[in-house]
Amino acid sequence: MHVREMISTHPDVQGNVAENLLICIEECYSCAQTCTACADACLAEPMVDQLQQCIRLNLDCADICAATGAMASRRTGSNVETLRATIQACAVACQRCAQECGQHAEMHEHCRICSESCTRCAEACQAALNNVQ
């Protein structure tokens, strides 16, 4: 991704790229894509009725990750309280999705991959909170 390149060129940044926030943005967008793909793969499984909660959490997580990535990418002005709340909500959604996908990981490789992506994103969100003040 070109997150670092884009943000470092922003006139308001002036070299202060907030490393943990950049990692969070990258992980959020990656997780959004992974969760969307996992939900789609779950829909193709023969026992889709047993994966309803997994699909729901995948889609919820994908939405909050995409929104968090977009909000964290903005550098003009500030909306710190909302950004912090969104990053925290993203971490919670990712943790919950990681747990659910983890329950299906032995049977479905896509759930294993998704669980790992969600865990990385949750950790990146927690680390990014230190850069959002």
Side-chain angles (χ1 to χ4, degrees):
M1 296 186 77
H2 299 285
V3 174
R4 179 180 309 290
E5 281 181 274
M6 286 303 300
I7 290 178
S8 68
T9 64
H10 193 288
D12 289 350
V13 171
Q14 299 178 357
N16 183 17
V17 293
E19 185 68 28
N20 286 341
L21 195 56
L22 293 180
I23 293 167
C24 178
I25 294 166
E26 290 173 348
E27 290 296 340
C28 281
Y29 282 129
S30 176
C31 192
Q33 184 280 324
T34 302
C35 286
T36 299
C38 188
D40 189 62
C42 285
L43 286 169
E45 293 292 349
M47 71 289 236
V48 68
D49 58 317
Q50 296 173 17
L51 296 169
Q52 288 178 357
Q53 183 66 0
C54 191
I55 294 164
R56 169 60 189 262
L57 294 177
N58 281 160
L59 296 176
D60 288 351
C61 192
D63 288 345
I64 191 72
C65 284
T68 303
M71 288 179 64
S73 295
R74 298 181 188 128
R75 291 295 185 259
T76 302
S78 66
N79 190 359
V80 174
E81 288 179 21
T82 302
L83 180 57
R84 285 187 66 79
T86 303
I87 291 171
Q88 289 171 333
C90 187
V92 169
C94 287
Q95 289 165 350
R96 184 65 188 100
C97 191
Q99 291 169 350
E100 181 67 27
C101 280
Q103 294 177 19
H104 307 285
E106 287 186 25
M107 185 174 250
H108 306 293
E109 181 68 5
H110 53 85
C111 285
R112 183 194 62 76
I113 293 166
C114 190
S115 180
E116 290 175 2
S117 179
C118 289
T119 298
R120 281 192 310 274
C121 191
E123 291 169 355
C125 285
Q126 290 298 330
L129 287 170
N130 296 327
N131 289 137
V132 180
Q133 300 171 18

